[in-house]
Amino acid sequence: MRPEFKDKIMHVLFLVPTLIAAGMLVMMLAFMSEGIGQISWRFLSSSIFEGGIFEPIMGTFFLFLGTVLITMPIGIFAAIYLVEYAPRDSKFVRIVDQAINNLAGVPSIVIGLFGYTFFCKILGLGISLVAGWLTLTLMMLPIMIRGTEEALRMIPQSFREAAMALGATKWETVRDAVLPAAMPGILTSILLGVARVAGETAAIIFTASVLTMRGLPRTPLEPVTSLTFYLFVLLVAIPKTSYKVAFGVALVLFGIVFLFSAIATVIRMYYRRKWKW
Amino acid sequence: MWYGRKHVLKNINIKIPEKRVTAIIGPSGCGKTTFLKSLNRLIELVDGVRVEGEVLLDGVNIYDSQLTPTEVRKRVGMVFQKPNPLPKSIYENVAYGPKLHGIRDKEELDKIVKEALMAAGLWDEVKDRLHDSAFELSVGQQQRLCIARAIAVKPEVILMDEPCASLDPISTAKVEALIRELREEYTIVIVTHSLQQAMRISDYTAFFYYGELIEFGPTKKIFEEPEHELTYRYITGQFG
Ligand SMILES: Nc1ncnc2c1ncn2[C@@H]1O[C@H](COP(=O)(O)OP(=O)(O)O)[C@@H](O)[C@H]1O
Ligand SMILES: [Mg+2]
């Protein structure tokens, strides 16, 4: 076979999968665009009892707000401890690291099952917003700790030396030299965590939401519905759902997740350009 | 001085003269940085480090449990090989040390910052942009900012670890001029890779080789009539 010919074949061989992938994306976008006609102020702001999706939007918001408030302090403190305080390569750190990795790899439905058994039943929180927060925390925590750890480890040792050499204590060094420089990275991991939580379904199916249609929770002990869960309900429980509504919900969900990821990317790019070290 | 099992500094006995510039020379990896960091206890940041012996500052051992590292580092400042401004404004970089040590008064801080920047020969270049990020300065300016930052704490000793290694010739000349001026008020210990630089700026020179102090004396003497064969070979460029 002539080498030029062989090269052409290889060219095609690499091109075809690219086209398939691109084609699938385009098709998905085409389907999603079905939902565009659905999106209107009325759709977004009226209750599910009137064909809108106000409760699922607010529910998604409540869910990730609470989860972030619980996860952020725990995740950031744990990461600071692991990177700045714990003796490097200690056995304890290795075990914790391994545990975090394992937690990150657990399928969300299994986390949901655990959340249901532990938070809803054993702790008696029932199927509720707060049980949802705690379960989602289990999902977001590994992302948060990993991301923050990474952001802290990216800070060159010379930053710490700079503060230390002026007589700063350990904590002053972390506060003034390390954290400000790591902040963009930490923020990015929070936003990526939020994107993950906002798109999560399996973890809240058993823990935070119920199939009956209901309004917004009045206390954290009441169930809540989210965009993901509402989509699930539309497809499996309500006969003759118009696909247009389902795609409308999907589009809003996609928009929210995309927004958070995009903000995270912009922050990262901005700081990368501003601080070169 | 050990890193884990590795014995890095052996039996170093040196009396660094006050208010003079002492240059440390020697091939890469001979322990110059390690020596410098053991003079302000920065060495303790490295895991698995073990220090034996004492470092006397005005007759007091800085490793004495009575002293905290913070107190030691307030009196013994340091400038690093690569400029390392803090992620703060130019002003805040210089004011940071004094703030750590309890100075809160705005006017007093302003005064310290101005004096330190002037002493570092940076004031005219930055006086209109004190609140810009320190990362916006050129590398040479950043290094002078780091010197200003060290001065602002009013230390007795300033340690410099190859402060010109990442600078261009013009910035290097500025920093060297600066060191000559600071000599009046501070005890300076400077590590340098450049023998010419050691000759130009130092009063005394110490030659290190594989963790040992081979020779120490007035710079003129070290470069003109060294006592050790090794020193002679090093300064005549027979090994690096
Ligand atoms: N953190 C560390 N852990 C283990 N060994 C180190 C560490 N830092 C430096 N060393 C070793 O100690 C020796 C002296 O290093 P250093 O003081 O940096 O030399 P110099 O500044 O003269 O080039 C080198 O052999 C180096 O490999
Ligand atoms: Mg060195």
Side-chain angles (χ1 to χ4, degrees):
Chain A
M1 214 189 298
R2 294 218 325 271
E4 294 81 22
F5 187 64
K6 210 165 145 191
D7 214 35
K8 280 225 171 73
I9 291 183
M10 289 317 278
H11 186 111
V12 173
L13 221 61
F14 286 118
L15 179 65
V16 170
T18 314
L19 287 180
I20 293 176
M24 290 200 297
L25 264 177
V26 168
M27 241 161 68
M28 216 180 95
L29 284 179
F31 267 101
M32 294 273 258
S33 66
E34 288 279 303
I36 291 181
Q38 190 64 40
I39 307 248
S40 66
W41 178 244
R42 244 187 77 82
F43 180 63
L44 299 177
S45 66
S46 57
S47 160
I48 43 178
F49 301 110
E50 294 154 5
I53 54 166
F54 180 68
E55 289 88 350
I57 291 183
M58 290 311 283
T60 294
F61 185 71
F62 287 165
L63 274 169
F64 72 58
L65 199 68
T67 307
V68 167
L69 286 181
I70 300 172
T71 310
M72 217 169 55
I74 303 179
I76 294 180
F77 282 20
I80 291 179
Y81 177 77
L82 289 172
V83 176
E84 304 290 336
Y85 285 87
R88 212 147 293 178
D89 288 325
S90 76
K91 199 161 180 190
F92 174 71
V93 171
R94 275 210 305 277
I95 292 173
V96 173
D97 264 349
Q98 202 51 52
I100 293 169
N101 278 340
N102 289 338
L103 189 59
V106 176
S108 52
I109 190 115
V110 176
I111 294 203
L113 179 64
F114 168 80
Y116 175 73
T117 331
F118 187 68
F119 299 128
C120 303
K121 292 288 160 194
I122 296 179
L123 292 189
L125 295 171
I127 294 183
S128 61
L129 183 52
V130 64
W133 287 340
L134 295 172
T135 311
L136 288 172
T137 292
L138 288 179
M139 300 215 51
M140 189 171 161
L141 206 50
I143 304 179
M144 190 70 225
I145 296 182
R146 273 276 162 279
T148 308
E149 263 189 289
E150 225 166 82
L152 294 174
R153 285 194 210 283
M154 288 245 305
I155 307 305
Q157 191 62 13
S158 64
F159 275 54
R160 298 178 181 88
E161 287 178 340
M164 286 280 187
L166 291 169
T169 60
K170 182 100 199 177
W171 163 238
E172 286 163 341
T173 302
V174 171
R175 184 192 62 195
D176 302 324
V178 181
L179 280 183
M183 213 26 105
I186 297 176
L187 229 59
T188 305
S189 68
I190 294 176
L191 290 168
L192 292 179
V194 168
R196 172 90 197 270
V197 162
E200 181 52 43
T201 322
I204 57 168
I205 285 184
F206 324 123
T207 56
S209 308
V210 289
L211 280 172
T212 48
M213 300 251 264
R214 48 196 297 151
L216 287 175
R218 273 155 302 178
T219 75
L221 287 169
E222 287 183 19
V224 63
T225 208
S226 72
L227 285 167
T228 51
F229 189 76
Y230 190 54
L231 189 57
F232 171 72
V233 172
L234 283 179
L235 294 179
V236 302
I238 304 181
K240 285 192 258 141
T241 298
S242 130
Y243 278 90
K244 285 211 155 55
V245 176
F247 278 113
V249 175
L251 202 61
V252 172
L253 182 60
F254 176 79
I256 291 177
V257 172
F258 179 79
L259 186 70
F260 281 109
S261 308
I263 298 176
T265 310
V266 169
I267 292 179
R268 202 161 27 185
M269 276 184 350
Y270 174 75
Y271 279 100
R272 216 169 260 165
R273 201 165 320 151
K274 188 161 160 222
W275 291 347
K276 312 169 199 88
W277 56 68
Chain B
M1 225 304 310
W2 282 263
Y3 286 123
R5 284 226 184 71
K6 194 167 168 189
H7 197 172
V8 181
L9 293 179
K10 303 158 196 162
N11 231 340
I12 309 252
N13 216 320
I14 186 170
K15 192 170 179 317
I16 292 168
E18 203 177 321
K19 306 242 161 120
R20 290 287 179 273
V21 177
T22 301
I24 313 273
I25 58 171
S28 282
C30 69
K32 305 181 297 295
T33 298
T34 305
F35 173 68
L36 222 50
K37 285 184 175 176
S38 63
L39 300 184
N40 68 349
R41 295 181 64 169
L42 210 57
I43 199 71
E44 293 175 343
L45 293 193
V46 182
D47 281 328
V49 153
R50 187 155 61 86
V51 184
E52 275 180 20
E54 33 185 41
V55 175
L56 300 180
L57 178 63
D58 291 341
V60 179
N61 183 12
I62 63 168
Y63 286 91
D64 193 314
S65 55
Q66 303 268 303
L67 279 177
T68 61
T70 304
E71 289 167 312
V72 172
R73 291 174 198 147
K74 182 175 184 308
R75 296 171 60 190
V76 185
M78 183 157 183
V79 176
F80 298 84
Q81 192 165 346
K82 249 186 79 194
N84 56 352
L86 292 162
K88 296 170 176 293
S89 69
I90 296 168
Y91 179 94
E92 286 298 331
N93 259 278
V94 184
Y96 184 63
K99 276 187 181 171
L100 282 179
H101 302 296
I103 297 177
R104 287 272 165 269
D105 185 62
K106 176 89 174 71
E107 262 168 49
E108 195 179 347
L109 283 173
D110 285 351
K111 187 162 154 275
I112 293 174
V113 169
K114 183 169 176 185
E115 280 172 4
L117 284 171
M118 278 176 134
L122 198 57
W123 176 252
D124 286 330
E125 290 160 60
V126 302
K127 62 171 185 265
D128 301 319
R129 46 195 282 219
L130 287 175
H131 297 285
D132 287 2
S133 160
F135 295 117
E136 278 161 32
L137 296 173
S138 74
V139 179
Q141 288 173 325
Q142 285 185 12
Q143 192 60 304
R144 281 181 287 143
L145 178 67
C146 292
I147 296 175
R149 183 174 72 185
I151 297 172
V153 181
K154 303 205 163 62
E156 294 154 45
V157 183
I158 302 179
L159 312 170
M160 299 186 176
D161 190 2
E162 303 189 34
C164 302
S166 48
L167 305 188
D168 60 84
I170 294 172
S171 306
T172 300
K174 283 186 186 162
V175 170
E176 284 185 13
L178 178 53
I179 292 168
R180 273 192 293 267
E181 275 173 39
L182 295 177
R183 178 178 167 280
E184 312 275 315
E185 283 183 65
Y186 302 92
T187 302
I188 295 176
V189 185
I190 177 170
V191 169
T192 174
H193 239 100
S194 148
L195 298 176
Q196 280 77 19
Q197 185 173 62
M199 276 193 276
R200 281 194 300 265
I201 59 174
S202 70
D203 305 298
Y204 293 85
T205 296
F207 172 59
F208 277 55
Y209 187 70
Y210 280 105
E212 290 185 68
L213 174 62
I214 305 293
E215 192 166 348
F216 174 57
T219 299
K220 209 164 151 52
K221 179 167 174 303
I222 297 278
F223 281 95
E224 282 170 11
E225 37 189 313
E227 275 167 22
H228 274 263
E229 167 82 22
L230 266 173
T231 318
Y232 175 75
R233 283 173 49 206
Y234 183 73
I235 61 172
T236 50
Q238 293 177 38
F239 65 92

